[in-house]
Amino acid sequence: MVKIILDTGVLDVRQDVSFPLTFSVGEIRDITKRTGTFSKTIVLAGTDNNNKLLNHYYDVNIDAGTFDVTQLTYCQVTQNDVVIMENAVLQLIAVNKSQLTDAHEQVVNYEVLIKDTKAELFTAITNAELTDLDFSDLDHFSNSSAIIGSFSFTQANGFKYVLPYDTDNLYNVRQIKPAIYAKTYFDRIFANAGFTYTWANLQNARFDKLLIPYNGEENQIDWTDYKVTARNTYTTSQTQPTNGGFLGFFETLTGWTETLDTQGIFNPTTGEYTAPTDVDPSASQSYEYKFNVTYEVTFYNHALSSVQPYVFNSQSGTYVATPRTFTPYLQAVSPIGQGASSFLTPVVISTPLASGTTTLGTYQNVGITTPSPFISTGDILEMRAGIMSNMTFGQYAWRTSGGTAAQVDINIDIINIELEIIPNSYVQPIGGVITMNQYVPQKVKQSDFVKSIFQMYNLYADVDPNQPNNIILTHRDEYYNNGTERDWTYKLAKDREQNLEFLPDVTNKRLILTYKQDNDTPNTLYFDATREIYGQQEYIFNSEYVKDVDTKELLFSPTPIAQTTFGAIVPMIDGQAPKTNIRILYDGGEQSCGSYDIIDGGVTGTYGVTTYPAITHFDNALTPSFDINFGTCDFYYYNPQTLT
């Protein structure tokens, strides 16, 4: 007697109903092709019990109940009280109705399918990408000291910084990016899909030594949380010389009203912004002061008569009335008072100014001003308002028509200014917090990643019979060595014809194990010189009956390595903006080298570093005993002492 047991009850199954189940042999070599046990279409009668458990889906007006066709419904299948399928899924695919008379829904049948849920890892992650994983728990403070401190990290830390190749011994922190361990990805892919795995020889296989380096563009960080917005009204109060000269000036804008300051890094009273991270103008990094300002320019003539600008004519020895330009500006400045000025609408004085106050404007300008030069975390930044002119002291002067020098004060009356302060998108947090989700390869499917790891290690996958969501991973040789021999001598059906067919052991003449070719310069040069992919291995089989080539290619691309001027052997990648296919490297630990420097910015940094993270495709690039390449390369970009 067959029973289908739901959480809400037991469905009625007639004894004469066909209940065919298809059992498949577990695909161990390619888990992406694994199929579980499943049924063909089963017809259930529309009994009162089945109608209730299946929510009366024959009636389209029914919208309440515990059964929902859009949600997974788990069940158990037993036969004579023996469990045939555990943790299976029941899917209602159709409802058939017959109305032979005027009776309401006289005959109802339900068509259902049942399949098990074992080994559906690849179904669960089919459309998921690596960027769907969360690595925020690995976020950390970063500067040159933190980078050097990571050189001794292991997989238990989750990540490690990679020192890339450079032509000298001077690195900027923007060139050195964190890499997440492959096992960290692997663990989270399984966990997010609701699976676990058992890999008994994982450490012997050195899988916990593999790293996935950053492969994207120059990092662009979302600095939204550090944005400050504020508004202000302000009038400068500068006096000019009594001899008619003009002195350019600026004043720091104070007395702000802030409208956004999530991190509490802006002092509205003083107008001081505390820099949350280092920025370097040489890398196009800056703090942007974006403004929208409305203002007037006021002239106060102290003389009792009108005045205008004059220039001294040395040939005639007299002053000549000449139009002059006065240019207001806004300027964000660093602690040493340097910054780029954003010039506002110039004011030209070409006619006499009456005695007393003359107001020109109203003007409105939008723009951006940035402080300079290199700015360190914690530096205090300010914003100034000022006026400059081509009317320099001594050469030009305010004078009356009678030639008498006159004092004219010039000031800016800021009617309203709306200000936004934020690091620009090129700023990598140096002396700030690194967001590790920014360092995950883009557009890489989790299923492709897992499958390539299986291929690299020739893993066979089997489902744990005691825990369906646990996958047991075993290396090929180990899988067959752990097997047992069975004698089939007495199982041979001798009453039937026996056919012996001679098939070759291999189906292709050549087998190529390889990474995926990439278009970066080191890989391109190697391929052009050898017509092979860096690190590939080719086998030619001794069979005259086969001719084709079988290529086993991984998701990852190879990474050539080279020796720096200070003796470190490192991957040949552009640390700041690699822009490559996804890579995989081996963590050889922290090793000694000559002296090199890591600069945070300006002259700040760590000098005389004498160790480095040996992250290549070897365990030791000079005397290797292990290599994640498939075979020995035709040449290397340095001279190893020995090869494995």
Side-chain angles (χ1 to χ4, degrees), residues 461-475:
D462 203 2
V463 176
D464 188 337
N466 299 317
Q467 188 180 345
N469 282 358
N470 183 58
I471 297 178
I472 299 173
L473 304 180
T474 313
H475 301 278

PDB file of all heavy atoms in Angstrom, residues 461-475:
ATOM      1  N   ALA A 461      31.859  13.384  -6.424  1.00  0.00           N
ATOM      2  CA  ALA A 461      30.898  13.839  -5.429  1.00  0.00           C
ATOM      3  C   ALA A 461      29.819  12.795  -5.228  1.00  0.00           C
ATOM      4  O   ALA A 461      29.271  12.248  -6.184  1.00  0.00           O
ATOM      5  CB  ALA A 461      30.268  15.163  -5.875  1.00  0.00           C
ATOM      6  N   ASP A 462      29.533  12.515  -3.978  1.00  0.00           N
ATOM      7  CA  ASP A 462      28.479  11.569  -3.648  1.00  0.00           C
ATOM      8  C   ASP A 462      27.660  12.146  -2.508  1.00  0.00           C
ATOM      9  O   ASP A 462      28.167  12.938  -1.699  1.00  0.00           O
ATOM     10  CB  ASP A 462      29.077  10.218  -3.240  1.00  0.00           C
ATOM     11  CG  ASP A 462      28.087   9.079  -3.429  1.00  0.00           C
ATOM     12  OD1 ASP A 462      26.972   9.349  -3.904  1.00  0.00           O
ATOM     13  OD2 ASP A 462      28.426   7.933  -3.099  1.00  0.00           O
ATOM     14  N   VAL A 463      26.406  11.741  -2.450  1.00  0.00           N
ATOM     15  CA  VAL A 463      25.511  12.242  -1.409  1.00  0.00           C
ATOM     16  C   VAL A 463      25.656  11.397  -0.161  1.00  0.00           C
ATOM     17  O   VAL A 463      25.676  10.163  -0.220  1.00  0.00           O
ATOM     18  CB  VAL A 463      24.046  12.241  -1.900  1.00  0.00           C
ATOM     19  CG1 VAL A 463      23.106  12.670  -0.789  1.00  0.00           C
ATOM     20  CG2 VAL A 463      23.903  13.156  -3.104  1.00  0.00           C
ATOM     21  N   ASP A 464      25.775  12.073   0.961  1.00  0.00           N
ATOM     22  CA  ASP A 464      25.849  11.381   2.244  1.00  0.00           C
ATOM     23  C   ASP A 464      24.520  10.673   2.494  1.00  0.00           C
ATOM     24  O   ASP A 464      23.479  11.332   2.574  1.00  0.00           O
ATOM     25  CB  ASP A 464      26.134  12.403   3.345  1.00  0.00           C
ATOM     26  CG  ASP A 464      26.421  11.750   4.692  1.00  0.00           C
ATOM     27  OD1 ASP A 464      25.992  10.602   4.895  1.00  0.00           O
ATOM     28  OD2 ASP A 464      27.053  12.407   5.531  1.00  0.00           O
ATOM     29  N   PRO A 465      24.512   9.331   2.592  1.00  0.00           N
ATOM     30  CA  PRO A 465      23.228   8.628   2.768  1.00  0.00           C
ATOM     31  C   PRO A 465      22.531   8.958   4.079  1.00  0.00           C
ATOM     32  O   PRO A 465      21.320   8.807   4.189  1.00  0.00           O
ATOM     33  CB  PRO A 465      23.639   7.145   2.716  1.00  0.00           C
ATOM     34  CG  PRO A 465      25.083   7.136   3.094  1.00  0.00           C
ATOM     35  CD  PRO A 465      25.654   8.415   2.567  1.00  0.00           C
ATOM     36  N   ASN A 466      23.285   9.415   5.059  1.00  0.00           N
ATOM     37  CA  ASN A 466      22.698   9.741   6.361  1.00  0.00           C
ATOM     38  C   ASN A 466      22.301  11.203   6.474  1.00  0.00           C
ATOM     39  O   ASN A 466      21.624  11.594   7.425  1.00  0.00           O
ATOM     40  CB  ASN A 466      23.689   9.400   7.479  1.00  0.00           C
ATOM     41  CG  ASN A 466      24.045   7.928   7.498  1.00  0.00           C
ATOM     42  OD1 ASN A 466      23.171   7.069   7.344  1.00  0.00           O
ATOM     43  ND2 ASN A 466      25.329   7.633   7.652  1.00  0.00           N
ATOM     44  N   GLN A 467      22.758  12.039   5.513  1.00  0.00           N
ATOM     45  CA  GLN A 467      22.451  13.468   5.542  1.00  0.00           C
ATOM     46  C   GLN A 467      22.378  13.965   4.106  1.00  0.00           C
ATOM     47  O   GLN A 467      23.386  14.339   3.516  1.00  0.00           O
ATOM     48  CB  GLN A 467      23.530  14.233   6.328  1.00  0.00           C
ATOM     49  CG  GLN A 467      23.195  15.697   6.562  1.00  0.00           C
ATOM     50  CD  GLN A 467      24.285  16.407   7.344  1.00  0.00           C
ATOM     51  OE1 GLN A 467      25.143  15.761   7.939  1.00  0.00           O
ATOM     52  NE2 GLN A 467      24.263  17.731   7.348  1.00  0.00           N
ATOM     53  N   PRO A 468      21.186  13.961   3.498  1.00  0.00           N
ATOM     54  CA  PRO A 468      21.054  14.231   2.064  1.00  0.00           C
ATOM     55  C   PRO A 468      21.661  15.550   1.605  1.00  0.00           C
ATOM     56  O   PRO A 468      22.067  15.660   0.449  1.00  0.00           O
ATOM     57  CB  PRO A 468      19.536  14.216   1.849  1.00  0.00           C
ATOM     58  CG  PRO A 468      19.001  13.385   2.964  1.00  0.00           C
ATOM     59  CD  PRO A 468      19.895  13.640   4.133  1.00  0.00           C
ATOM     60  N   ASN A 469      21.724  16.554   2.470  1.00  0.00           N
ATOM     61  CA  ASN A 469      22.264  17.846   2.056  1.00  0.00           C
ATOM     62  C   ASN A 469      23.763  17.966   2.300  1.00  0.00           C
ATOM     63  O   ASN A 469      24.323  19.056   2.191  1.00  0.00           O
ATOM     64  CB  ASN A 469      21.534  18.979   2.777  1.00  0.00           C
ATOM     65  CG  ASN A 469      20.180  19.249   2.164  1.00  0.00           C
ATOM     66  OD1 ASN A 469      19.809  18.625   1.186  1.00  0.00           O
ATOM     67  ND2 ASN A 469      19.430  20.162   2.735  1.00  0.00           N
ATOM     68  N   ASN A 470      24.409  16.856   2.638  1.00  0.00           N
ATOM     69  CA  ASN A 470      25.863  16.848   2.787  1.00  0.00           C
ATOM     70  C   ASN A 470      26.468  16.091   1.605  1.00  0.00           C
ATOM     71  O   ASN A 470      26.087  14.957   1.317  1.00  0.00           O
ATOM     72  CB  ASN A 470      26.282  16.184   4.096  1.00  0.00           C
ATOM     73  CG  ASN A 470      27.790  16.235   4.294  1.00  0.00           C
ATOM     74  OD1 ASN A 470      28.393  17.310   4.310  1.00  0.00           O
ATOM     75  ND2 ASN A 470      28.409  15.078   4.428  1.00  0.00           N
ATOM     76  N   ILE A 471      27.402  16.728   0.911  1.00  0.00           N
ATOM     77  CA  ILE A 471      28.035  16.117  -0.252  1.00  0.00           C
ATOM     78  C   ILE A 471      29.444  15.676   0.128  1.00  0.00           C
ATOM     79  O   ILE A 471      30.236  16.474   0.645  1.00  0.00           O
ATOM     80  CB  ILE A 471      28.073  17.092  -1.441  1.00  0.00           C
ATOM     81  CG1 ILE A 471      26.634  17.443  -1.854  1.00  0.00           C
ATOM     82  CG2 ILE A 471      28.827  16.504  -2.619  1.00  0.00           C
ATOM     83  CD1 ILE A 471      26.546  18.441  -2.980  1.00  0.00           C
ATOM     84  N   ILE A 472      29.736  14.418  -0.128  1.00  0.00           N
ATOM     85  CA  ILE A 472      31.042  13.859   0.197  1.00  0.00           C
ATOM     86  C   ILE A 472      31.940  14.000  -1.024  1.00  0.00           C
ATOM     87  O   ILE A 472      31.626  13.503  -2.110  1.00  0.00           O
ATOM     88  CB  ILE A 472      30.914  12.378   0.607  1.00  0.00           C
ATOM     89  CG1 ILE A 472      30.019  12.254   1.844  1.00  0.00           C
ATOM     90  CG2 ILE A 472      32.287  11.786   0.893  1.00  0.00           C
ATOM     91  CD1 ILE A 472      29.704  10.830   2.233  1.00  0.00           C
ATOM     92  N   LEU A 473      33.057  14.689  -0.853  1.00  0.00           N
ATOM     93  CA  LEU A 473      33.993  14.935  -1.947  1.00  0.00           C
ATOM     94  C   LEU A 473      35.210  14.033  -1.780  1.00  0.00           C
ATOM     95  O   LEU A 473      35.815  13.973  -0.705  1.00  0.00           O
ATOM     96  CB  LEU A 473      34.429  16.404  -1.952  1.00  0.00           C
ATOM     97  CG  LEU A 473      33.299  17.441  -2.041  1.00  0.00           C
ATOM     98  CD1 LEU A 473      33.861  18.849  -2.035  1.00  0.00           C
ATOM     99  CD2 LEU A 473      32.444  17.212  -3.279  1.00  0.00           C
ATOM    100  N   THR A 474      35.568  13.343  -2.863  1.00  0.00           N
ATOM    101  CA  THR A 474      36.674  12.392  -2.829  1.00  0.00           C
ATOM    102  C   THR A 474      37.478  12.522  -4.111  1.00  0.00           C
ATOM    103  O   THR A 474      36.917  12.664  -5.198  1.00  0.00           O
ATOM    104  CB  THR A 474      36.145  10.942  -2.720  1.00  0.00           C
ATOM    105  OG1 THR A 474      35.156  10.869  -1.701  1.00  0.00           O
ATOM    106  CG2 THR A 474      37.275   9.984  -2.392  1.00  0.00           C
ATOM    107  N   HIS A 475      38.798  12.463  -3.992  1.00  0.00           N
ATOM    108  CA  HIS A 475      39.646  12.469  -5.183  1.00  0.00           C
ATOM    109  C   HIS A 475      39.463  11.162  -5.957  1.00  0.00           C
ATOM    110  O   HIS A 475      39.180  10.115  -5.380  1.00  0.00           O
ATOM    111  CB  HIS A 475      41.111  12.643  -4.781  1.00  0.00           C
ATOM    112  CG  HIS A 475      41.365  13.903  -4.029  1.00  0.00           C
ATOM    113  ND1 HIS A 475      41.539  15.106  -4.651  1.00  0.00           N
ATOM    114  CD2 HIS A 475      41.432  14.162  -2.699  1.00  0.00           C
ATOM    115  CE1 HIS A 475      41.720  16.056  -3.745  1.00  0.00           C
ATOM    116  NE2 HIS A 475      41.656  15.500  -2.555  1.00  0.00           N
TER     117      HIS A 475
END
